Amino acid sequence: MHIHQVSTLPDIPNPCNLPGMKVIHVVTTTNVGGAQIMLQRYLSALGENAASHSVISLVPSGPIAPDIEALGVQVADLGLSPGRVTPAALWRLRRLLRDAKPDIVHGWMYHGCLAAWAGLIGNRRKDGPALVWGVHHSLQDIANEKRSTRWVVRLMAAMSKRVDLITYCSGVSQDQHEAIGFCKDNVDLIPNAVDTEVFKPDPDARARLGAICKIPDGRLIVGNVARGHPMKDHVSMVRATAMLIEMGHDVQAVLVGEGLSDSPAVQTASELGIRDRVTALETRSDVHSIVPGFDIFLLSSAWGEAFPLAVAEAMAAGVPCVVTDVGDCALLVGDTGRVVAPAAPQEQAKAVASLIDAGQAARNELGQRARARVSEHFSAPRYVDRHDAAYARALNRATGKGADETQFGQASQDKLAHSPSTQKVSPNRGDRRY
């Protein structure tokens, strides 16, 4: 049962993976988004240990909240309206954190991070809690962000030295945030993860998607999964689709995400006379059964991406990807796809055309390699290991006597030794490896 604007959190039992540790996650929203989905996946991967975690959302609960609650995790919200902060909400947050006595407070996304910091002012004991910030956004140009977001980011930069650990899901994002003043000490790189048992090749997916969208047999499907937002630049994808049609390719663009049915992308398709070749689907709960039906995945984002989950999910489903060079997209796909400049529909069209011209067998081979890459480097168990180690480091810094990485066993240490969370991150993107 959803709990709205609760004033207390239940007594949280201790987890087995980090003895004696309680974790509260403070998130901006529980709407559908990459960071929120990763929080749900992380809690799911914890199994019974998820009961030692709880979640506080700044705004009323969204679609991800019931999925989290189904894991046995308490979800509370502060009832804020987007973009508004009230003294009463801040007081409720401080009381929730004080009464729960967590060992770790983990902020997710900009506003969640800042709220976690504010909620702990005057609320920290000698034995904790440790404060962790999770940054899931890239800053190609801070001028692209809303004024309120720019203010939050700059305030976070000023306060970042007081945080016990900052995690980034993208090395490029880390560089960008440190360039505007974020503390360079006590950081970890924790790439996102995909459940490859959920996102996997499905030979029936093409027929299923074709029936949903009324796409003729034999027409190639170029797909994208992302909410409607200017940074996703769906308009460029539509323009690239028009160019592909002009080249003589029989393609259908399928866009899946919140706010797309009446978006600038759909309007552009009408203006270009290809409305029948662009299908816009709103957010769906069965996206894992749709993505394997794509022939090619096209990420058209112009900015804002750090480590796009949608690309990793498509790769896990065996779909070759064309991505714009934003965030860590190039590192994510490696040599299993194509990388083009952002806001360049002509380049997008050429890259997609090259995969079409390569033929089905070549696309299948790229898709197999993409899935193998995700399975090796971006699995849920590794994501849990990296967070275990990050929390131990944060608690060590906060108290000087926190958990030790030796708790995790030799197998986890061996994995961590080769993971980006324990490697020095070079300012040169080309030196980074997952």
Side-chain angles (χ1 to χ4, degrees):
M1 180 177 67
H2 167 59
I3 296 179
H4 179 67
Q5 296 189 39
V6 298
S7 58
T8 60
L9 287 171
D11 188 25
I12 304 172
N14 293 333
C16 299
N17 53 330
L18 286 176
M21 189 171 293
K22 300 177 182 179
V23 183
I24 293 181
H25 305 273
V26 181
V27 299
T28 306
T29 78
T30 49
N31 293 330
V32 177
Q36 296 94 322
I37 290 172
M38 280 315 309
L39 173 57
Q40 188 274 336
R41 287 183 183 169
Y42 168 64
L43 295 171
S44 178
L46 291 176
E48 62 182 16
N49 292 333
S52 66
H53 294 244
S54 59
V55 174
I56 301 174
S57 171
L58 303 189
V59 304
S61 292
I64 300 295
D67 296 335
I68 294 176
E69 289 176 323
L71 301 172
V73 175
Q74 185 84 13
V75 178
D77 74 66
L78 303 182
L80 287 170
S81 299
R84 292 189 60 192
V85 179
T86 66
L90 181 58
W91 179 85
R92 281 198 301 272
L93 175 61
R94 289 171 56 79
R95 189 170 68 173
L96 285 168
L97 297 178
R98 181 195 65 209
D99 293 347
K101 296 181 174 61
D103 298 286
I104 300 287
V105 175
H106 185 168
W108 292 66
M109 302 173 286
Y110 290 145
H111 294 79
C113 288
L114 190 59
W117 167 78
L120 287 177
I121 295 176
N123 236 355
R124 301 182 78 173
R125 313 176 306 272
K126 291 183 178 179
D127 58 345
L131 176 61
V132 176
W133 279 355
V135 177
H136 293 261
H137 191 72
S138 66
L139 276 178
Q140 188 167 341
D141 185 351
I142 195 171
N144 289 328
E145 308 299 331
K146 295 185 297 185
R147 178 184 296 179
S148 60
T149 302
R150 294 198 300 268
W151 180 86
V152 168
V153 172
R154 295 199 182 281
L155 181 58
M156 286 177 64
M159 297 296 105
S160 60
K161 289 184 179 180
R162 305 183 185 185
V163 179
D164 297 305
L165 189 73
I166 304 174
T167 69
Y168 297 91
C169 66
S170 156
V172 170
S173 172
Q174 178 182 343
D175 289 347
Q176 293 167 342
H177 284 83
E178 290 177 355
I180 66 165
F182 274 63
C183 182
K184 298 181 180 182
D185 301 323
N186 301 302
V187 298
D188 256 343
L189 181 61
I190 305 181
N192 288 337
V194 176
D195 188 340
T196 54
E197 293 302 311
V198 174
F199 286 88
K200 58 187 177 182
D202 179 356
D204 298 325
R206 171 58 178 81
R208 186 184 308 117
L209 182 56
I212 292 171
C213 302
K214 298 180 173 57
I215 301 172
D217 293 342
R219 180 173 292 174
L220 290 173
I221 299 176
V222 181
N224 175 286
V225 180
R227 63 191 171 97
H229 189 284
M231 72 180 180
K232 304 298 183 180
D233 198 11
H234 289 113
V235 169
S236 282
M237 180 171 175
V238 170
R239 294 190 184 282
T241 301
M243 294 174 190
L244 286 165
I245 294 171
E246 290 176 2
M247 294 176 192
H249 295 296
D250 186 16
V251 298
Q252 184 84 19
V254 175
L255 314 179
V256 184
E258 181 183 2
L260 289 174
S261 56
D262 185 23
S263 64
V266 170
Q267 296 169 13
T268 300
S270 297
E271 293 168 1
L272 295 175
I274 61 165
R275 181 64 187 87
D276 61 326
R277 295 298 190 94
V278 176
T279 302
L281 302 176
E282 290 294 315
T283 301
R284 299 176 64 97
S285 61
D286 61 347
V287 68
H288 63 281
S289 68
I290 289 178
V291 171
F294 297 161
D295 293 289
I296 298 167
F297 186 96
L298 172 57
L299 182 92
S300 54
S301 298
W303 80 87
E305 302 287 0
F307 182 107
L309 262 183
V311 174
E313 291 168 350
M315 293 171 66
V319 180
C321 298
V322 173
V323 300
T324 49
D325 193 10
V326 293
D328 273 6
C329 288
L331 287 170
L332 172 56
V333 299
D335 62 357
T336 71
R338 304 284 191 271
V339 182
V340 299
Q346 291 179 332
E347 290 193 28
Q348 294 176 28
K350 289 179 181 178
V352 171
S354 73
L355 292 181
I356 295 174
D357 294 338
Q360 184 67 57
R363 291 196 298 274
N364 287 345
E365 192 270 336
L366 279 176
Q368 291 169 5
R369 285 166 46 201
R371 177 170 171 80
R373 181 173 175 81
V374 168
S375 299
E376 179 181 359
H377 298 290
F378 311 117
S379 67
R382 293 197 72 174
Y383 195 70
V384 171
D385 277 347
R386 286 162 170 160
H387 275 85
D388 282 349
Y391 289 161
R393 294 188 189 110
L395 198 57
N396 268 324
R397 184 167 189 262
T399 68
K401 56 179 181 180
D404 192 296
E405 287 180 38
T406 57
Q407 296 175 181
F408 308 120
Q410 189 60 46
S412 294
Q413 291 183 58
D414 290 343
K415 289 181 183 178
L416 287 163
H418 297 91
S419 79
S421 65
T422 55
Q423 293 176 358
K424 178 177 175 60
V425 179
S426 165
N428 180 352
R429 258 181 35 185
D431 291 342
R432 291 199 181 96
R433 293 188 299 275
Y434 284 126

